[in-house]
């Protein structure tokens, strides 16, 4: 790289969250400078109503634009890294992830995996190559269109985290680098609970965040929540916190939180 990248969280602190209450048929994925959403305007203030509508649409437009204009790694990866750096970043995370999903797979007994917030499908395709049956969805229609064009085995859909429904449960539900972009606590909790509802008995919910005791905001568009906040939402639903495994990539403090359903 000709220039040293900014620290991981500093680089991603410029990114935008997924839009709140995104409809099923459209939405957004990853960004660096989309406007923040604000509260609803007063009914009589038409100027503010127009501004709020613009603020709601802008993040979705930004994420779709980013997925359209950036390559398959940079659009959903580390914006402070060049292509080789992102190749390493994806490879490191995939390696850690595969140690968590396990190495037992066969045509007779594949794992059923859900990749929630899949972006352009990098992890979904990798898991499918390992013999797993993979469903994947993202709020960005642009990202899902790209992922479908790549093929590779997964079944893709467009949906927000709290809206995805499935007729079956999964051995592994995966959500990589998405939940800490959801700033609204109610939306974050609804998304987490919905993902938990899709995990079968003895299955695992694997989500990524820092392992922290206090909320850690980074810039305007990232909020790392305490591990205890995840446990408060998930333990009453029968999922216990099994382990935290950091990425181990440079100064990155994010890692995989594994929750296992026991009941």
């Amino acid at each position: 790289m000709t220039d040293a990248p900014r620290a991981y969280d500093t680089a991603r602190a410029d990114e935008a969250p997924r839009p709140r209450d995104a409809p099923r048929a459209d939405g957004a994925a990853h960004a660096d400078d989309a406007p923040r959403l604000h509260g609803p305007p007063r009914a009589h203030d038409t100027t503010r109503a127009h501004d709020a509508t613009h603020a709601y649409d802008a993040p979705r437009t930004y994420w779709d634009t980013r997925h359209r204009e950036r390559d398959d790694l940079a659009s959903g990866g580390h914006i402070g890294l060049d292509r080789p750096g992102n190749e390493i970043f994806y490879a490191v995370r995939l390696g850690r992830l595969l140690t968590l999903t396990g190495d037992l797979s066969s045509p007779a007994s594949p794992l059923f995996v859900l990749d929630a917030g899949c972006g352009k499908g990098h992890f979904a395709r990798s898991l499918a190559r390992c013999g797993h049956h993979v469903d994947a969805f993202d709020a960005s229609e642009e990202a899902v269109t790209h992922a479908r064009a790549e093929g590779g085995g997964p079944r893709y859909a467009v949906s927000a985290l709290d809206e995805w429904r499935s007729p079956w449960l999964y051995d592994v539900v995966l959500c990589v680098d998405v939940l800490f972009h959801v700033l609204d606590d109610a939306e974050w909790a609804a998304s987490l609970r919905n993902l938990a509802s899709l995990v079968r008995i003895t299955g695992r919910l694997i989500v990524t965040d820092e392992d922290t005791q206090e909320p850690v905001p980074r810039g305007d568009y990232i909020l790392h929540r305490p591990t205890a906040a995840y446990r408060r939402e998930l333990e009453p639903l029968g999922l216990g916190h099994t382990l935290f495994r950091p990425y181990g990539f440079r100064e990155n403090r994010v890692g995989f939180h594994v929750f296992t359903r026991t009941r």
Side-chain angles (χ1 to χ4, degrees):
M1 290 180 286
T2 56
D3 297 312
R6 293 176 292 172
Y8 172 79
D9 286 315
T10 303
R12 293 185 67 98
D14 295 330
E15 299 186 2
R18 296 169 187 271
R20 185 178 178 182
D21 300 327
R24 285 181 175 83
D26 49 32
H30 306 282
D32 56 52
D33 58 7
R36 286 186 78 169
L37 304 185
H38 300 285
R42 291 171 292 180
H44 67 277
D45 193 334
T46 57
T47 300
R48 287 184 53 162
H50 173 78
D51 290 344
T53 300
H54 175 73
Y56 177 78
D57 289 338
R60 292 182 295 169
T61 300
Y62 177 86
W63 292 119
D64 277 338
T65 299
R66 176 168 173 168
H67 280 298
R68 183 169 57 251
E69 294 182 351
R70 292 177 180 259
D71 68 35
D72 56 321
L73 299 186
S75 63
H78 188 322
I79 62 173
L81 295 174
D82 58 10
R83 177 79 188 196
N86 264 315
E87 289 281 7
I88 297 170
F89 183 43
Y90 273 89
V92 166
R93 288 182 294 170
L94 178 60
R96 298 285 189 273
L97 177 60
L98 289 176
T99 66
L100 300 175
T101 58
D103 58 3
L104 299 177
S105 182
S106 73
S109 59
L111 290 178
F112 284 81
V113 179
L114 175 65
D115 185 358
C118 65
K120 289 182 176 177
H122 183 90
F123 292 117
R125 288 189 297 276
S126 297
L127 291 168
R129 287 195 299 271
C130 292
H132 304 312
H133 288 178
V134 182
D135 288 342
F137 70 85
D138 197 275
S140 169
E141 191 166 1
E142 186 72 34
V144 171
T145 297
H146 178 96
R148 285 173 174 158
E150 290 289 323
R155 295 175 294 187
Y156 293 101
V158 178
S159 177
L161 291 177
D162 59 349
E163 294 182 338
W164 173 259
R165 302 294 183 267
S166 171
W168 48 75
L169 300 178
Y170 296 92
D171 298 295
V172 177
V173 174
L174 172 68
C175 190
V176 178
D177 291 359
V178 179
L179 285 166
F180 54 72
H181 287 301
V182 181
L183 302 185
D184 181 81
D185 287 337
E187 182 187 0
W188 171 82
S191 299
L192 191 59
R193 289 194 298 267
N194 187 50
L195 297 181
S197 73
L198 300 167
V199 180
R200 70 167 179 83
I201 295 292
T202 73
R204 283 154 289 173
L205 172 63
I206 302 176
V207 300
T208 65
D209 210 326
E210 293 187 359
D211 186 20
T212 178
Q213 296 182 359
E214 300 292 338
V216 180
R218 299 193 186 280
D220 290 334
Y221 305 122
I222 288 177
L223 176 59
H224 295 293
R225 290 178 173 85
T227 303
Y230 284 89
R231 296 181 65 174
R232 280 196 302 271
E233 293 294 333
L234 295 173
E235 287 178 351
L237 303 178
L239 287 97
H241 190 252
T242 307
L243 61 89
F244 172 76
R245 181 162 297 168
Y247 291 163
F249 178 76
R250 301 185 185 180
E251 75 288 348
N252 192 337
R253 299 178 182 176
V254 176
F256 294 101
H257 288 279
V258 180
F259 292 85
T260 303
R261 180 176 290 286
T262 58
R263 57 179 173 84

